[in-house]
């Protein structure tokens, strides 16, 4: 009996330790994060940075597993928001363009030539208009946490220099699955062709499409010049902010501490990625030019011609985006 009484406290301790270990194991949680691009690009690096910071701050109790190349939606990047909203995806670092079919307010950033520079983008995302956009996203079952940046989108093609709207007449330009993009390039006289990025590169290689539009980071890393895109026009016609977000139902299952970690690390990763993307712009442009790409920079007069040619797009789309939101954004831009 004495021997048994000596064993009992040890057994109790071991049992308690086992329960404690099981408790910690149960607390550890992995969430899926969708991105369109891999970590070869700043976009994918933003998601990886977020995952790194979350694991570090949570001590490994909360981890993010990044799924690049839109693999959770079979390569269809425009389905990402719907998949996150329904719970098929826990979280995402996504594009305002790709999410705009489900959140019309996000078309604010795709209005052609609406945001002239990075200061304008910051004024919008960091001000009242940015708050209104976040409210619109949250009203659709997704919690936005922070901003990132895919950058200003530039135009490339295989036919020749483009410095006036007439140069686009009849050119087949690959665009993402957004009706606003269709309207913009139609207004410019082009033949917009909708396709995913997965399908775009083969189409450019074969000449099925003549051109495309993307940020310099994508043009550089994807070596778009190697698929016949020898001419690049810097026209800054729209900027594509990224958004760090989480499914609302997933968010509700998290503790306050976990929510704080996710939000704080998203903001930190976003600020890191925005700074990196912008710092690399001049270096990327130099590298692109060194590879023989002919770069056209528009004069103020040439730029104005494109603005005038796309005014009808504003007339059609501002009511869809929301007049109040557009006015609030315009005030922030003018006051920057």
């Amino acid at each position: 009996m004495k021997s048994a009484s000596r064993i009992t406290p040890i057994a109790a301790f071991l049992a308690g330790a086992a329960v404690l270990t099981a408790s910690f194991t149960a607390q550890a949680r992995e969430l899926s994060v969708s991105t369109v691009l891999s970590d070869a690009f700043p976009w994918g690096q933003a998601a990886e940075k977020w995952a790194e910071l979350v694991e570090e701050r949570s001590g490994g109790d909360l981890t993010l597993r990044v799924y690049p190349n839109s693999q959770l939606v079979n390569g269809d990047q425009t389905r990402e928001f719907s998949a996150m909203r329904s719970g098929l995806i826990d979280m995402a670092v996504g594009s305002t363009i790709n999410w705009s079919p489900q959140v019309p307010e996000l078309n604010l950033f795709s209005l052609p030539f609406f945001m002239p520079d990075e200061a304008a983008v910051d004024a919008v995302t960091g001000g009242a208009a940015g708050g209104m956009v976040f409210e619109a996203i949250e009203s659709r079952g997704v919690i936005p946490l922070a901003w990132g940046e895919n950058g200003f989108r530039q135009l490339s093609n295989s036919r020749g220099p483009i410095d006036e709207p007439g140069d686009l007449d009849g050119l087949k330009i690959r665009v993402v699955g957004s009706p606003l993009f269709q309207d913009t390039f139609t207004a410019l006289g082009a033949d917009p062709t909708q396709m995913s990025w997965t399908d775009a590169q083969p189409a450019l290689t074969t000449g099925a499409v003549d051109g495309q539009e993307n940020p310099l980071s994508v043009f550089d890393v994807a070596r778009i010049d190697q698929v016949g895109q020898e001419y690049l026009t810097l026209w800054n016609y729209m900027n594509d902010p990224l958004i760090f977000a989480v499914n609302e139902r997933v968010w509700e299952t998290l503790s306050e501490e976990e929510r704080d970690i996710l939000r704080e690390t998203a903001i930190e990763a976003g600020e890191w990625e925005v700074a990196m993307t912008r710092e690399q712009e001049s270096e990327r442009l130099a590298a692109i030019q060194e590879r023989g790409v002919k770069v056209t920079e528009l004069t103020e007069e040439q730029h104005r011609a494109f603005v005038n040619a796309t005014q009808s797009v504003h007339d059609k789309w501002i009511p869809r985006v929301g007049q109040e939101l557009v006015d609030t954004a315009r005030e922030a831009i003018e006051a920057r």
Side-chain angles (χ1 to χ4, degrees):
M1 294 296 295
K2 290 182 180 180
S3 176
S5 66
R6 286 196 300 271
I7 294 173
T8 300
I10 297 174
F13 172 80
L14 293 175
V19 170
L20 187 61
T21 300
S23 176
F24 279 124
T25 302
Q27 289 177 6
R29 185 173 183 183
E30 180 180 279
L31 300 174
S32 62
V33 181
S34 174
T35 67
V36 170
L37 297 178
S38 72
D39 61 5
F41 303 83
W43 186 342
Q45 291 165 19
E48 292 291 350
K49 182 71 170 180
W50 192 17
E52 174 189 320
L53 291 172
V54 167
E55 184 166 12
E56 175 187 307
R57 303 283 167 80
S58 71
D61 290 339
L62 187 63
T63 60
L64 310 185
R65 183 175 180 184
V66 179
Y67 293 84
N69 303 316
S70 304
Q71 59 184 285
L72 296 180
V73 286
N74 297 319
D76 186 352
Q77 58 210 59
T78 59
R79 288 179 50 220
E80 185 178 68
F81 186 86
S82 295
M84 178 167 50
R85 183 180 184 181
S86 68
L88 294 176
I89 296 173
D90 296 324
M91 308 164 70
V93 179
S95 155
T96 56
I97 299 170
N98 293 333
W99 295 1
S100 63
Q102 292 80 41
V103 187
E105 291 84 353
L106 290 175
N107 286 299
L108 172 71
F109 300 99
S110 296
L111 290 173
F113 306 103
F114 183 67
M115 298 187 189
D117 51 35
E118 292 167 347
V121 176
D122 293 342
V124 172
T125 58
M132 293 168 70
V133 170
F134 270 22
E135 288 174 5
I137 294 172
E138 188 164 349
S139 72
R140 292 168 173 86
V142 171
I143 307 298
L145 303 177
W147 296 96
E149 186 169 277
N150 197 24
F152 279 101
R153 298 175 79 89
Q154 316 299 356
L155 176 66
S156 73
N157 83 102
S158 60
R159 296 294 187 88
I162 294 175
D163 59 21
E164 62 180 36
D167 294 330
L168 277 160
D169 283 348
L171 290 188
K172 291 185 177 180
I173 305 295
R174 174 266 173 181
V175 296
V176 296
S178 164
L180 197 160
F181 280 67
Q182 298 275 347
D183 288 345
T184 295
F185 282 90
T186 298
L188 291 169
D191 178 9
T193 304
Q194 176 186 330
M195 61 180 63
S196 70
W197 182 240
T198 303
D199 296 329
Q201 288 176 290
L204 291 167
T205 301
T206 62
V209 293
D210 301 308
Q212 61 85 54
E213 47 78 51
N214 255 309
L216 288 183
S217 61
V218 175
F219 191 100
D220 182 31
V221 176
R223 294 296 192 268
I224 297 179
D225 49 289
Q226 294 182 0
V227 291
Q229 299 294 285
E230 301 176 5
Y231 302 92
L232 178 67
T233 298
L234 304 181
W235 63 343
N236 284 14
Y237 88 113
M238 60 85 62
N239 188 285
D240 180 26
L242 302 177
I243 298 173
F244 295 70
V246 56
N247 169 275
E248 184 177 45
R249 291 189 295 277
V250 170
W251 183 254
E252 290 172 351
T253 66
L254 300 172
S255 67
E256 284 299 321
E257 181 182 5
E258 289 171 327
R259 293 180 186 181
D260 288 342
I261 288 173
L262 282 181
R263 191 183 300 277
E264 290 168 3
T265 53
I267 292 171
E268 186 174 335
E271 291 175 344
W272 171 84
E273 188 266 342
V274 169
M276 175 185 64
T277 299
R278 294 178 179 179
E279 287 171 2
Q280 293 176 346
E281 283 284 282
S282 59
E283 180 181 333
R284 290 193 186 283
L285 180 58
I288 290 168
Q289 289 177 301
E290 287 175 5
R291 297 199 296 269
V293 176
K294 300 173 181 63
V295 177
T296 298
E297 296 190 52
L298 302 180
T299 65
E300 185 175 343
E301 183 179 356
Q302 289 170 332
H303 185 269
R304 174 54 54 184
F306 284 98
V307 173
N308 293 339
T310 53
Q311 185 56 50
S312 62
V313 181
H314 283 237
D315 296 339
K316 177 178 179 179
W317 279 88
I318 285 177
R320 301 184 184 187
V321 173
Q323 187 69 56
E324 182 183 1
L325 174 58
V326 173
D327 289 344
T328 302
R330 185 176 285 121
E331 289 171 6
I333 292 171
E334 294 172 352
R336 72 192 187 283

